Amino acid sequence: MAKRREAHDEELPFVALMDTMTNVVGVLIIVLVMIGISLAQAVRKVLSDLPPVTKEQLEELKKVVVKDTPKEDPKKLEEEMKETQQALKKASEELKTMDLSMDKSSPKHMDLDELRKQLEERKKVRDTSKEEVDKLLAEVDKLKKAIDSTPRYVPPPATVVKLPNPREIPENATVQRFIVTGGKVYYLNDIEFMKYVVQEIEKNQKSLVFGEVPVKDTFGNPVMEKVRGKDVPKMKTVFDQKKIVQHFVNLRLPVRDLKMELVEAPNAPRMPMRLTPNPQGGEGIEQFKNPASTYQRAVRKFKSEPNTVMWFYVFKDSVEAFLAARDYADTEGVPVVWELYGNPFYQRNVAEFEVNFTPPKPQPPPPPGTVKIAAPKMTAD
């Protein structure tokens, strides 16, 4: 006879599990029964609490239910619901985007006082700019009025100028000088004026003499001479500059075209004679074109004298008058020399007499190797 197998310990948990499940099922059945009893009691109570309904009221309620029942197709309603949900989702996304944009574009919080300060500063800048613009506009208006009132410039007619034809001045030439200023030609006639000055000084030399002074050589040493067997300094007579000036002032020479006077030269041994044009004198272009004019009579006289050269000192305002005067001299064949001039007078030294003077301080000798450039030779044009 076979042996009975002994029970193993592994079978005990399974039996316990079956017992537990049976207990749970039993409890659930009891709960379901209790729920059913509770529902039956609740239904009975609801039905007992309802008021009695007549047949007419029931029919009326059915009509209301039928009336409130939607007539649309359920599929169509479902599609519309989906579209509504999509639109709602899209609107939500747009709203989020707008919120972000508003956050970005919203101005940062700033101090109100700082804003007011900036506003005041910008107002000041604006007012300053406005004042400057107003000034500029006023200046523009002023310039426009000036332009409108300015007469249109009409250039003068063209002037024909001959090309120069340089020629050497003849040796021992007699130079007759003219000044052209203010559109007029003045004959200086300085040769005759100088003769008159020399004669007047010689005639009145006793009252004009300053005294006798020793003659000195180029090095400043006195020149010696023998007198009665003795070496004595050689003396020379000098004239007083102030006396000479006053003498010619007292003469009161008649003034026509030129004013003649002698002026002091405190640091020179020779005194200059000065000729100054008189604005009421001289001859304009129309005047000296007349054959009887002083200018034409002088040119005809110079033509008859050999080696005579006419020298013109021309002011920049009288080039046209000089060109007209030169044309006539050219037709007569008298050589002409001219130069631009700026002094309001002409003067030359009285070489025949020495006057008292204070020698200027000696200039230092030029450094060794200094190149001296000779003045250019004057030529007739």
Side-chain angles (χ1 to χ4, degrees):
M1 185 173 175
K3 273 184 171 183
R4 187 177 177 182
R5 295 176 58 186
E6 294 181 359
H8 297 282
D9 294 335
E10 290 103 5
E11 294 178 359
L12 291 177
F14 179 76
V15 174
L17 178 62
M18 291 298 294
D19 291 341
T20 302
M21 290 181 64
T22 303
N23 293 334
V24 171
V25 172
V27 171
L28 289 174
I29 292 172
I30 293 171
V31 171
L32 288 175
V33 171
M34 293 299 292
I35 291 173
I37 294 171
S38 298
L39 286 175
Q41 291 177 355
V43 171
R44 190 178 299 112
K45 183 178 180 182
V46 170
L47 292 176
S48 62
D49 292 339
L50 288 175
V53 179
T54 60
K55 186 177 181 181
E56 291 77 7
Q57 291 176 343
L58 180 60
E59 293 297 330
E60 186 67 26
L61 289 173
K62 288 181 179 181
K63 290 180 181 179
V64 172
V65 172
V66 172
K67 183 178 179 181
D68 293 338
T69 302
K71 298 181 181 180
E72 288 80 359
D73 188 3
K75 293 183 179 180
K76 185 176 181 182
L77 290 174
E78 187 177 356
E79 292 177 358
E80 290 180 356
M81 187 179 293
K82 290 181 179 179
E83 292 178 357
T84 303
Q85 290 178 351
Q86 292 178 356
L88 181 61
K89 184 178 181 181
K90 184 177 180 181
S92 299
E93 293 177 354
E94 291 179 354
L95 184 61
K96 291 180 180 178
T97 305
M98 290 177 64
D99 292 339
L100 291 174
S101 301
M102 288 179 65
D103 292 339
K104 291 181 180 180
S105 61
S106 61
K108 296 181 179 180
H109 176 71
M110 296 184 68
D111 187 5
L112 183 59
D113 294 335
E114 182 67 21
L115 289 174
R116 287 177 179 172
K117 185 177 179 181
Q118 292 181 8
L119 180 61
E120 292 298 328
E121 291 177 354
R122 292 182 181 180
K123 283 183 179 179
K124 290 180 181 179
V125 173
R126 180 201 63 186
D127 294 340
T128 304
S129 300
K130 185 176 182 299
E131 291 178 0
E132 293 178 356
V133 171
D134 292 340
K135 289 181 181 178
L136 291 175
L137 291 175
E139 187 67 21
V140 170
D141 294 337
K142 183 179 178 181
L143 291 175
K144 285 182 179 179
K145 290 179 181 179
I147 291 173
D148 295 338
S149 61
T150 302
R152 182 180 293 274
Y153 172 73
V154 179
T159 302
V160 178
V161 180
K162 295 180 180 179
L163 293 175
N165 181 22
R167 292 165 289 172
E168 291 187 5
I169 297 177
E171 293 184 5
N172 302 321
T174 301
V175 179
Q176 300 290 346
R177 293 177 171 83
F178 294 79
I179 277 186
V180 188
T181 180
K184 296 180 180 181
V185 176
Y186 295 81
Y187 175 36
L188 293 176
N189 199 11
D190 56 300
I191 297 176
E192 295 300 322
F193 273 110
M194 185 60 69
K195 289 180 181 178
Y196 170 77
V197 168
V198 172
Q199 291 175 2
E200 191 67 24
I201 294 176
E202 288 177 345
K203 185 171 63 175
N204 300 276
Q205 62 179 340
K206 289 184 179 180
S207 61
L208 302 177
V209 168
F210 175 80
E212 290 189 346
V213 296
V215 178
K216 295 182 180 181
D217 58 16
T218 55
F219 299 99
N221 300 317
V223 177
M224 307 301 288
E225 64 177 354
K226 286 188 176 296
V227 176
R228 297 176 184 179
K230 295 181 179 181
D231 291 334
V232 296
K234 185 177 181 179
M235 306 299 287
K236 62 181 178 180
T237 301
V238 296
F239 291 83
D240 193 314
Q241 294 198 52
K242 294 184 182 297
K243 291 180 180 179
I244 293 175
V245 171
Q246 190 61 43
H247 176 78
F248 282 94
V249 170
N250 295 335
L251 287 178
R252 296 183 180 179
L253 298 176
V255 176
R256 181 170 175 258
D257 290 348
L258 300 167
K259 176 185 176 182
M260 191 276 291
E261 59 184 336
L262 271 77
V263 294
E264 291 188 54
N267 302 116
R270 297 291 186 271
M271 200 170 182
M273 177 192 70
R274 179 176 295 179
L275 300 174
T276 305
N278 181 10
Q280 284 73 35
E283 294 177 333
I285 296 177
E286 296 301 325
Q287 292 174 311
F288 67 68
K289 283 184 177 180
N290 186 345
S293 65
T294 302
Y295 176 72
Q296 288 204 20
R297 286 189 283 111
V299 173
R300 290 194 294 270
K301 179 176 179 294
F302 301 151
K303 182 181 179 181
S304 63
E305 298 174 352
N307 295 336
T308 298
V309 175
M310 298 175 64
W311 195 306
F312 289 86
Y313 299 97
V314 184
F315 283 69
K316 63 180 181 180
D317 63 345
S318 304
V319 175
E320 185 178 359
F322 159 69
L323 293 175
R326 174 184 167 179
D327 285 342
Y328 180 72
D330 289 343
T331 58
E332 295 295 328
V334 181
V336 172
V337 178
W338 71 283
E339 61 177 295
L340 288 175
Y341 201 65
N343 291 330
F345 54 81
Y346 167 79
Q347 68 182 25
R348 54 179 288 192
N349 292 330
V350 183
E352 288 78 3
F353 301 99
E354 288 192 28
V355 293
N356 61 317
F357 73 102
T358 301
K361 294 181 180 180
Q363 298 293 325
T370 301
V371 178
K372 294 183 178 180
I373 300 176
K377 293 183 179 180
M378 298 302 300
T379 57
D381 190 4

